[in-house]
Amino acid sequence: MLEIRWHGRGGQGAKTASLLLADVAFNTGKYVQGFPEYGPERMGAPITAYNRISDEKITIHSNIYEPDFVVVVDESLLEPVDVTKGIKEGGAILINTDKNAEEIKNSLKGFNGTIYTIDARAISEKCLGRYFPNTPMLAAAVKICGIMEDEAFLREMQGSFEHKFASKPEVIEGNMNALKMAIAEVGK
Amino acid sequence: MAIRDRLSGNEAVAIAMRQINPDVFPAFPITPSTEIPQFFSQYVADGKVATEFITVESEHSAMSACIGAQSAGARSMTATSSAGFAYMWEVLYVAASCRLPITLACVNRALTGPININCDHSDAMGARDAGWIQIYSENNQEAYDNFIQAVRIGEHADVQLPVMVCQDGFITSHAVENIELIEDEKVKAFVGEYEPEEYLLNAAQPIAVGPYDSSAYYIEHKRNQAEGMIKAKDVILQVAKEFKDMSGREYGLFEEYRLDDAELVIVVINSTAGTAKAAIDSLRKIGVKAGLLKIRVFRPFPMQEIAKALSGKKAVAVMDRCEGFSAAGGPLFAEIRSALYDASDRPMAVNYIYGLGGRDVTTGDIEKVYSDLADMATSGEAGETYRYLGVRE
Amino acid sequence: MKKMPEINESINWKEITPGGTVYEAAYSLKFKTGDWRSIKPVFNEEKCKQCLLCAPVCPDCSIPVVAGKRLDFNYDYCKGCGICAKACPFDAIEIVKDEK
Amino acid sequence: MAYNFKEVMSKPDRFNGGHRMCAGCGAPLAVRGVLRAVKEEDKAVIGCATGCLEVSSFVYPYTAWSDSFIHTAFENASAMTGGVEGAYNVLKRKGKIKDTFKFITFGGDGGTYDIGFQSLSGAMERGHDMVYVCYDNGAYMNTGIQRSSATPKYADTTTTPAGSEIQGKQQFKKNLTDIMVEHNIPYAAQTTFIGNFKDLHEKSEKAIYKKGPAFLNVLAPCPRGWRYETEDLMEMCKLAVDTCFWPLFEVEDGNWTLSYEPKTKLPIEDFLRPQGRFKHLFKKGNEHMIEELQREVDRKWAKLLDKCNAK
């Protein structure tokens, strides 16, 4: 079973990203969970969301304390939130930042696992004209977690976007480009 | 052919409601059940149901409108949580005493004092003696399946009682998980039409509902009402059997997980049962004879069946997601231990109050409980029966 | 159609109507409130001009009106409040002590 | 339709003897009067809030109602009846019901002005096709004459007793009819029992047959709570309207109409004097209280005239 923890800010779409990831994994035939940790927080507050992905039925209903992967949607959370807490031996963290892994390492309080970075802002602004970190973050997460092959993922998302954006097909291409660019650019 | 999908518990229940296509749905939002009427209102807006959706101004009015509608001859349902559920409390009794098979999706959340939006069972447990059938659900699948069965159970001629289907707030209501849905036509055929024998809108025979009942009759009415609850046990099993024929999924009054040869047993309700199953699997690998009894039907309470299932076990931990203050224990413990009084080979039993206000419960917590049970079994001493799990001392 | 059982204080829990629902309209007509009365109205048909002003003021529906004409009091239900006598402009209703 | 008193009175009652209201109670007059406005061929479902009327008109197994009747609690009559109306709409759409049904709910001032106010407000705002009838007797009579927000100022009740320091209730009565008008409902009216009940009948007819929610506020004297002789009920109502303590008016689609203007507007004293609950006001030294009540009646009456002429 793969366990993933998301850190984001309310309103930024970390919850949506976790649900999208669950969707992608679901479509590959897996058992999935996608759920946020709920409180009365409003826009801007740090929030946490989770995914479990497994070939077996999942019965556990608790938060995830020892994730295989952590995804940080907003770089500014590195300071106030202990984002690397509990990451499993051999686990990894993915951070949305314009820095590279080496540069960001100092902000991770001695974390020794693998660090991936992705500049979701640049990708989003380039491909979508606005800052929607979700799409590139999802692609990067799928890539580093090894949930499915790139090709299959892109095929899957093409279908999903065609459905989701049926009324505004013009945005599909930009979203697909954002995915592709994220897959290509996510780096250690 | 079942429809494989992934849904949150709330959406799953909303879909069950759409498939049932109730006549009247009065609703008032409260976290975490709010999404249910939200999803449903979209079905109304899109013409997918023929329901009269009434956006009432409170939960008290939601249940009151359900009572009016159901008495009038219409199938009605609603959803609520926590304080909203508590606000309905007075009229929950009326719904049951009027023998109205209303269905309620209760998304369990802690009662206020202080305010908290997360899961515990103090809301539903507070109304355990309101005369409603109570069915609990471990996950989205069970919430969906139970809701479909609830309509049939409540409306059965031998029962004629309202049914609430509970699931854990946020933990399952907002978690997206895999689910197998049943085709719309099959659900429709399964629940059938609501055809009450007598109802307000029957022009041929006016009726009067909700009398002032003097002491000359009140206790007979209550005894008559209790009979519906007594008979509900068989009806629940009968409906479960038909449901299995349709869906392949099996339900009883409670679920036994690796219980047969278990020596150490946890009794628990809703989502924590799933976490316990995972803990049991790992404990079994290291030779611990751990087992689980998961309550599905809390009202009517399957007392004899539980006594039989727990007879001969060494130690039992009953977990209450609801404070009992200075009662014999939490509500589940008080009843389980009472059931055990008649067991032929009575196990030791202790109570754990846990998970209040959404406090997370991990497999590690569950393992700790089994470890306590193992100590009890070894020492032969139960020790303190009224325990807390994970409270900072 | 559900049949209304005869209900009295010897009925057992199996026979009693579930929830206290009653399947027969105006069942209260079986309950005579006339014995609550200590005074009673007496109708003087001769003085009556059939203006009917007494009829709507009766809280106990004890002044039957048929085809525009009032009939004598229905003493099964009259509680002897006296409103009708006051409402009558023609002194056609006299209040007397009710000797039972 | 012109009011034919004899014809209307010849209709069978839809509320029946055998109920256990007090001798001389005003509430059954309101019920009988409102229900006479339902066409004989139409069916009705009657809702009721807990209160004197409910606990006296349906003491198991004795229902006094000819129509289907439902009571469940004190504060929820409007929501409950809204549910019945919702059921009717859907069952009618589905072809399961052929007859025409009307929905009428009764509540005392406790169940209307106070504990049932939220439910009433909600139901009126949502626009259920129903009539809410308040039989206003100005206190919680069912539980033994405790004050309500409909109790007139200075009335002696069991929770606002006239004592040496405090002389009865200290607040003016709530203007509920006005508040209901402000819900923008198609019809709201205030009435009571006078003459041949024409006013009550015509208002009931409009309330019942006008599409959408309607509110009727019916002053219904309570001989026990007001402390007057039972036989004087009609006199009490007449004094209430002739002193302008309880003006008769209606508001149809936002248009205010005065239904009755006293030939001579009587002083409020005339309404107060026959009632035991105001006895203390006639003690020496309390004259200013009556003057205060008169000023309030005058103020409200002027305001009402203004509204009714303003259209």
Side-chain angles (χ1 to χ4, degrees):
Chain A
M1 183 160 63
L2 203 59
E3 295 185 307
I4 301 156
R5 186 172 73 213
W6 296 75
H7 294 284
R9 291 190 182 277
Q12 248 173 7
K15 175 195 164 190
T16 311
S18 77
L19 296 184
L20 286 171
L21 184 68
D23 266 8
V24 170
F26 171 83
N27 289 337
T28 68
K30 304 264 187 192
Y31 286 94
V32 297
Q33 278 184 345
F35 58 100
E37 196 172 333
Y38 275 95
E41 292 83 4
R42 295 291 186 261
M43 298 271 277
I47 62 124
T48 313
Y50 304 95
N51 284 118
R52 285 193 179 91
I53 298 166
S54 170
D55 293 324
E56 312 285 327
K57 195 171 174 210
I58 305 162
T59 65
I60 295 180
H61 282 104
S62 66
N63 296 338
I64 293 165
Y65 299 90
E66 293 174 357
D68 299 280
F69 295 97
V70 164
V71 184
V72 183
V73 182
D74 190 315
E75 185 183 354
S76 70
L77 290 166
L78 297 183
E79 186 52 38
V81 179
D82 188 1
V83 294
T84 57
K85 191 176 179 185
I87 296 178
K88 273 194 194 114
E89 199 62 37
I93 187 167
L94 166 68
I95 302 165
N96 173 14
T97 172
D98 60 1
K99 301 190 179 87
N100 64 35
E102 205 47 51
E103 291 165 333
I104 204 86
K105 193 169 183 183
N106 290 337
S107 312
L108 294 178
K109 297 158 192 148
F111 176 65
N112 285 322
T114 313
I115 301 166
Y116 296 92
T117 64
I118 177 92
D119 191 351
R121 178 179 290 275
I123 294 172
S124 176
E125 283 171 354
K126 187 163 181 211
C127 300
L128 304 168
R130 279 181 65 188
Y131 182 42
F132 289 129
N134 269 347
T135 311
M137 288 310 285
L138 173 68
V142 169
K143 174 85 179 169
I144 66 148
C145 299
I147 292 166
M148 62 200 294
E149 295 299 319
D150 297 349
E151 278 312 304
F153 170 66
L154 291 171
R155 241 189 349 262
E156 183 74 44
M157 291 306 291
Q158 175 82 32
S160 156
F161 286 147
E162 277 166 13
H163 178 72
K164 188 177 167 194
F165 299 122
S167 59
K168 40 177 179 173
E170 66 279 7
V171 305
I172 296 175
E173 197 190 336
N175 274 285
M176 288 305 295
N177 287 341
L179 294 175
K180 286 175 196 157
M181 195 181 264
I183 290 171
E185 290 193 1
V186 63
K188 285 189 193 183
Chain B
M1 195 43 204
I3 305 155
R4 183 176 171 271
D5 207 337
R6 74 293 185 206
L7 298 167
S8 72
N10 276 345
E11 191 170 9
V13 167
I15 287 173
M17 289 170 161
R18 174 182 61 70
Q19 295 177 319
I20 295 163
N21 192 3
D23 295 314
V24 179
F25 190 140
F28 189 80
I30 182 167
T31 303
S33 62
T34 308
E35 289 180 335
I36 295 173
Q38 276 179 348
F39 283 122
F40 197 85
S41 66
Q42 193 64 51
Y43 303 143
V44 174
D46 294 339
K48 289 185 176 158
V49 286
T51 309
E52 191 86 357
F53 184 70
I54 309 178
T55 50
V56 285
E57 81 301 328
S58 73
E59 291 87 354
H60 194 283
S61 286
M63 186 45 61
S64 298
C66 279
I67 291 169
Q70 196 87 24
S71 304
R75 185 181 269 154
S76 70
M77 50 188 57
T78 188
T80 195
S81 297
S82 182
F85 182 87
Y87 194 30
M88 282 182 184
W89 200 75
E90 175 198 23
V91 273
L92 290 175
Y93 277 72
V94 178
S97 102
C98 289
R99 310 297 295 272
L100 300 171
I102 296 160
T103 33
L104 167 72
C106 177
V107 181
N108 294 122
R109 164 186 156 186
L111 286 175
T112 297
I115 190 168
N116 169 287
I117 62 166
N118 298 100
C119 176
D120 71 33
H121 302 158
S122 52
D123 50 5
M125 284 295 158
R128 64 190 181 276
D129 296 331
W132 282 61
I133 292 169
Q134 289 194 334
I135 305 179
Y136 287 85
S137 320
E138 179 188 321
N139 50 37
N140 58 349
Q141 183 76 62
E142 293 190 7
Y144 170 80
D145 290 351
N146 284 337
F147 204 85
I148 292 167
Q149 293 174 69
V151 175
R152 284 280 309 277
I153 294 164
E155 290 176 8
H156 193 282
D158 290 347
V159 179
Q160 298 285 305
L161 285 173
V163 186
M164 67 179 78
V165 174
C166 305
Q167 63 167 311
D168 280 350
F170 291 117
I171 301 168
T172 63
S173 71
H174 284 61
V176 169
E177 295 187 82
N178 299 52
I179 189 169
E180 282 188 12
L181 298 174
I182 305 163
E183 292 83 346
D184 291 2
E185 319 78 65
K186 280 194 189 168
V187 174
K188 274 184 210 325
F190 184 81
V191 295
E193 285 285 304
Y194 180 52
E195 304 281 2
E197 208 178 343
E198 65 279 344
Y199 52 102
L200 296 170
L201 293 170
N202 181 358
Q205 187 181 27
I207 62 167
V209 175
Y212 175 81
D213 212 20
S214 70
S215 55
Y217 300 107
Y218 187 85
I219 196 168
E220 277 74 24
H221 279 131
K222 287 294 137 187
R223 176 63 188 87
N224 180 290
Q225 185 185 333
E227 191 67 7
M229 194 60 99
I230 292 164
K231 287 189 172 156
K233 221 155 47 172
D234 283 344
V235 172
I236 290 166
L237 294 173
Q238 184 190 319
V239 170
K241 192 179 167 301
E242 283 181 52
F243 187 82
K244 188 192 170 196
D245 292 343
M246 173 175 66
S247 69
R249 291 186 291 278
E250 196 164 354
Y251 290 96
L253 299 169
F254 48 84
E255 181 190 336
E256 301 178 26
Y257 187 76
R258 306 185 84 160
L259 187 66
D260 254 4
D261 65 336
E263 293 172 349
L264 313 175
V265 180
I266 281 179
V267 181
V268 74
I269 288 174
N270 275 6
S271 68
T272 305
T275 307
K277 286 174 185 171
I280 289 165
D281 289 347
S282 48
L283 288 171
R284 285 276 179 169
K285 283 184 193 140
I286 56 166
V288 179
K289 288 196 162 178
L292 169 77
L293 191 152
K294 177 184 86 186
I295 300 290
R296 175 178 180 243
V297 177
F298 188 62
R299 286 291 183 270
F301 188 66
M303 186 142 160
Q304 294 83 6
E305 293 85 346
I306 287 173
K308 194 159 165 253
L310 295 180
S311 195
K313 306 302 176 195
K314 284 187 176 161
V316 174
V318 181
M319 298 186 54
D320 271 288
R321 202 162 194 156
C322 175
E323 175 58 272
F325 296 108
S326 94
L332 183 60
F333 179 68
E335 305 217 7
I336 296 282
R337 195 161 66 162
S338 176
L340 291 177
Y341 189 82
D342 295 325
S344 49
D345 184 4
R346 203 156 67 203
M348 285 183 281
V350 291
N351 190 197
Y352 286 85
I353 307 293
Y354 79 102
L356 304 186
R359 178 62 60 83
D360 200 21
V361 187
T362 63
T363 50
D365 296 321
I366 300 292
E367 284 166 14
K368 161 83 169 59
V369 172
Y370 280 112
S371 151
D372 292 352
L373 289 176
D375 290 347
M376 276 165 58
T378 311
S379 69
E381 298 286 331
E384 176 62 49
T385 55
Y386 203 126
R387 305 176 179 192
Y388 291 86
L389 185 63
V391 169
R392 291 183 295 274
E393 296 290 346
Chain C
M1 203 147 85
K2 194 121 171 173
K3 199 175 157 350
M4 180 74 178
E6 177 64 34
I7 293 172
N8 56 48
E9 295 191 6
S10 62
I11 197 164
N12 69 31
W13 69 265
K14 292 176 195 120
E15 311 288 321
I16 205 162
T17 59
T21 299
V22 167
Y23 319 114
E24 193 174 314
Y27 201 80
S28 69
L29 291 171
K30 293 183 198 293
F31 188 84
K32 309 288 163 74
T33 53
D35 57 5
W36 291 20
R37 198 170 57 227
S38 57
I39 52 168
K40 72 170 185 181
V42 176
F43 179 44
N44 185 336
E45 203 174 347
E46 260 130 63
K47 287 189 183 172
C48 177
K49 307 263 191 255
Q50 292 295 349
C51 74
L52 299 189
L53 285 178
C54 57
V57 305
C58 175
D60 294 301
C61 323
S62 298
I63 305 178
V65 178
V66 176
K69 286 196 164 171
R70 68 151 291 178
L71 311 178
D72 197 357
F73 287 103
N74 181 343
Y75 290 112
D76 280 353
Y77 308 107
C78 168
K79 295 173 190 147
C81 65
I83 302 174
C84 56
K86 277 257 181 164
C88 178
F90 307 106
D91 289 329
I93 300 169
E94 191 192 352
I95 298 291
V96 301
K97 197 164 175 235
D98 192 18
E99 313 275 3
K100 289 201 182 78
Chain D
M1 207 164 52
Y3 181 56
N4 184 328
F5 181 49
K6 291 210 165 182
E7 213 166 85
V8 164
M9 287 317 301
S10 304
K11 290 166 74 174
D13 262 305
R14 300 177 91 120
F15 186 70
N16 298 276
H19 68 74
R20 303 182 207 189
M21 305 293 278
C22 295
C25 175
L29 271 56
V31 171
R32 292 183 62 210
V34 170
L35 295 185
R36 277 198 296 275
V38 179
K39 291 179 195 159
E40 272 190 83
E41 65 270 27
D42 287 347
K43 313 284 177 197
V45 176
I46 311 299
C48 197
T50 308
C52 288
L53 177 65
E54 194 285 323
V55 302
S56 306
S57 70
F58 186 19
V59 182
Y60 186 77
Y62 303 107
T63 171
W65 305 83
S66 299
D67 296 291
S68 272
F69 171 87
I70 178 168
H71 153 261
T72 52
F74 197 1
E75 70 281 50
N76 69 346
S78 308
M80 173 190 78
T81 307
V84 177
E85 189 252 6
Y88 173 68
N89 294 339
V90 66
L91 296 181
K92 191 103 177 169
R93 272 204 304 275
K94 288 182 172 179
K96 286 188 173 180
I97 291 174
K98 302 277 181 287
D99 294 79
T100 298
F101 275 84
K102 294 290 160 189
F103 305 97
I104 304 167
T105 293
F106 292 94
D109 47 290
T112 309
Y113 283 69
D114 292 346
I115 195 169
F117 182 67
Q118 171 186 309
S119 174
L120 170 64
S121 178
M124 294 286 120
E125 183 271 332
R126 290 190 298 275
H128 296 285
D129 190 8
M130 62 183 266
V131 184
Y132 190 101
V133 183
C134 174
Y135 63 97
D136 177 356
N137 51 28
Y140 304 154
M141 301 310 182
N142 188 39
T143 42
I145 321 168
Q146 292 81 28
R147 69 88 88 180
S148 76
S149 64
T151 303
K153 189 165 186 179
Y154 297 129
D156 175 35
T157 73
T158 58
T159 49
T160 57
S164 56
E165 301 295 317
I166 304 171
Q167 303 288 312
K169 193 198 179 200
Q170 295 297 297
Q171 300 80 17
F172 288 115
K173 185 180 174 87
K174 188 193 273 183
N175 293 329
L176 185 66
T177 315
D178 290 26
I179 295 168
M180 297 323 294
V181 170
E182 290 303 324
H183 281 68
N184 293 318
I185 53 179
Y187 191 76
Q190 193 161 288
T191 181
T192 186
F193 321 122
I194 49 166
N196 66 0
F197 283 57
K198 181 169 185 273
D199 194 68
L200 175 63
H201 185 87
E202 289 180 344
K203 286 173 178 169
S204 302
E205 204 166 40
K206 278 187 193 169
I208 295 165
Y209 286 97
K210 203 167 168 75
K211 180 112 187 102
F215 176 77
L216 285 182
N217 206 352
V218 186
L219 186 75
C222 168
R224 195 163 156 258
W226 295 16
R227 286 182 266 148
Y228 66 89
E229 292 304 320
T230 58
E231 65 205 44
D232 292 332
L233 178 131
M234 292 301 283
E235 183 62 15
M236 295 311 308
C237 294
K238 188 87 170 60
L239 289 168
V241 295
D242 281 342
T243 57
C244 299
F245 169 81
W246 189 259
L248 308 186
F249 63 91
E250 64 179 359
V251 186
E252 195 172 357
D253 300 321
N255 298 312
W256 292 69
T257 311
L258 195 66
S259 319
Y260 173 88
E261 193 161 2
K263 283 191 195 74
T264 317
K265 182 166 168 284
L266 301 178
I268 189 68
E269 268 190 70
D270 290 8
F271 175 64
L272 305 174
R273 196 184 302 277
Q275 303 183 49
R277 61 177 173 161
F278 295 116
K279 203 169 96 192
H280 53 290
L281 298 188
F282 294 90
K283 278 190 197 147
K284 206 167 161 50
N286 284 350
E287 296 80 1
H288 67 282
M289 295 180 188
I290 297 177
E291 285 159 21
E292 185 194 351
L293 293 177
Q294 185 65 60
R295 279 196 303 277
E296 178 64 5
V297 165
D298 294 347
R299 186 187 70 82
K300 282 173 64 184
W301 176 245
K303 211 171 134 190
L304 177 64
L305 289 179
D306 214 38
K307 281 177 179 164
C308 293
N309 295 329
K311 60 174 173 165

